[in-house]
Amino acid sequence: MYGRLRYAVNQMGAQRRTRLPAEVFSYFTEHGSPVDLHGHVLHTLGVTADTLGALCMEGVDVVYRECGFSLTEKALRLAQFSQEFEESWVWGDAVETAARLARQLDDTQADRRLGDAALLAVLRYVAHRQPSEMTPLPGWLPHDTPLFIDGYPTTLLGHAAADLHVDAVTATYLAEPSATELFHALGWQLSPRAQAVADVAQERESHGESWPDAITAAEQALLDHLERQEWDRWQPAGRSPRCHDLTTGHLTTDDDPGHYRG
């Protein structure tokens, strides 16, 4: 969920505000365009106004469940808080505050699954918060410098890990320079495609490329030969599968009570 919200904010802008309808709330306009933050999230999942039907007037706790997505308690709290806050705040502030409140809950194993799209969304977010020419400090290059020093993130992937709220104390103790190895050591499950994204970004950063350029290279890396997990790259917007036949995120079926984190 966090990665999908970050993706929506990255695409639409942190200062975007939801223009709530004067009468009845809906996630989509009558022409099928997403209205609010979660309307855009649902759109990336392939959900449309037609598939939602009467659910357009329900809260996120109902909508995601009825569309076949089983959110963890932490993801559900993040969704509910972000929906509440966007009524009066810009999207960036709504997601940031909702994430801080949701992090009061402990992670489940499903909360620590990280796919390529979610990692890219977080990388884009942390890069946007820094000058566009941001590069490693002299002597602080990936593969040589630990991602955390004295509890503080160092390189691009260190800042991404901090935004995902990893245990900074343990990360500092481990002194691990590889993002993939650090995430694994801290109990996170990265898909092969997410690992490739992390490796490419670190490699490009180590050659002195700016953070935006390193992320673009990672985003454009050829990953088709790698296994695609359920929580990897999201289905392109515009497709309209049946609500209970979605092929992105963690699909909940009778045989697979999966948890979607995104």
Side-chain angles (χ1 to χ4, degrees):
M1 176 57 65
Y2 180 68
R4 289 189 184 275
L5 289 171
R6 279 293 175 218
Y7 178 80
V9 172
N10 290 346
Q11 293 296 309
M12 306 307 298
Q15 297 304 311
R16 186 180 181 87
R17 288 184 179 274
T18 299
R19 299 293 187 264
L20 295 175
E23 298 177 355
V24 180
F25 170 77
S26 174
Y27 293 91
F28 295 90
T29 67
E30 61 180 4
H31 301 295
S33 300
V35 171
D36 71 330
L37 176 59
H38 284 275
H40 281 270
V41 172
L42 290 166
H43 190 54
T44 67
L45 285 165
V47 178
T48 67
D50 290 337
T51 54
L52 279 185
L55 291 175
C56 268
M57 294 180 289
E58 301 291 343
V60 290
D61 55 330
V62 174
V63 167
Y64 285 108
R65 182 181 69 247
E66 293 299 317
C67 283
F69 297 97
S70 179
L71 275 63
T72 65
E73 183 181 359
K74 189 171 186 177
L76 178 59
R77 177 175 290 190
L78 173 59
Q80 290 174 321
F81 278 136
S82 59
Q83 184 175 54
E84 177 184 349
F85 295 153
E86 71 165 308
E87 293 183 8
S88 53
W89 296 357
V90 297
W91 287 11
D93 291 344
V95 172
E96 181 68 27
T97 306
R100 291 185 180 183
L101 292 174
R103 284 166 181 164
Q104 295 174 6
L105 295 176
D106 292 334
D107 286 334
T108 65
Q109 182 178 0
D111 287 313
R112 294 191 176 189
R113 289 173 175 163
L114 192 60
D116 58 352
L119 178 56
L120 283 166
V122 173
L123 289 173
R124 286 289 183 196
Y125 168 68
V126 299
H128 288 164
R129 300 176 64 183
Q130 304 292 337
S132 60
E133 69 276 7
M134 186 72 172
T135 57
L137 294 173
W140 285 26
L141 293 178
H143 305 308
D144 294 322
T145 302
L147 269 68
F148 284 81
I149 295 177
D150 295 333
Y152 293 94
T154 55
T155 57
L156 170 61
L157 269 297
H159 282 266
D163 187 67
L164 289 165
H165 208 61
V166 303
D167 182 350
V169 174
T170 303
T172 297
Y173 172 77
L174 293 173
E176 177 59 60
S178 166
T180 296
E181 294 302 323
L182 178 63
F183 275 115
H184 286 167
L186 295 175
W188 287 68
Q189 182 181 358
L190 271 66
S191 71
R193 298 166 74 93
Q195 293 180 40
V197 166
D199 291 343
V200 171
Q202 284 199 286
E203 179 66 24
R204 291 305 186 97
E205 187 184 15
S206 70
H207 286 87
E209 294 190 21
S210 67
W211 285 9
D213 288 345
I215 296 169
T216 297
E219 193 170 28
Q220 296 175 348
L222 297 177
L223 306 176
D224 291 342
H225 64 290
L226 298 174
E227 179 182 1
R228 183 188 298 274
Q229 299 292 336
E230 293 175 310
W231 57 90
D232 270 321
R233 189 89 60 168
W234 309 323
Q235 179 172 303
R239 296 177 61 184
S240 305
R242 295 192 312 275
C243 237
H244 290 277
D245 192 28
L246 297 179
T247 57
T248 59
H250 274 225
L251 175 64
T252 300
T253 68
D254 293 338
D255 300 321
D256 175 24
H259 295 282
Y260 160 69
R261 179 179 188 279

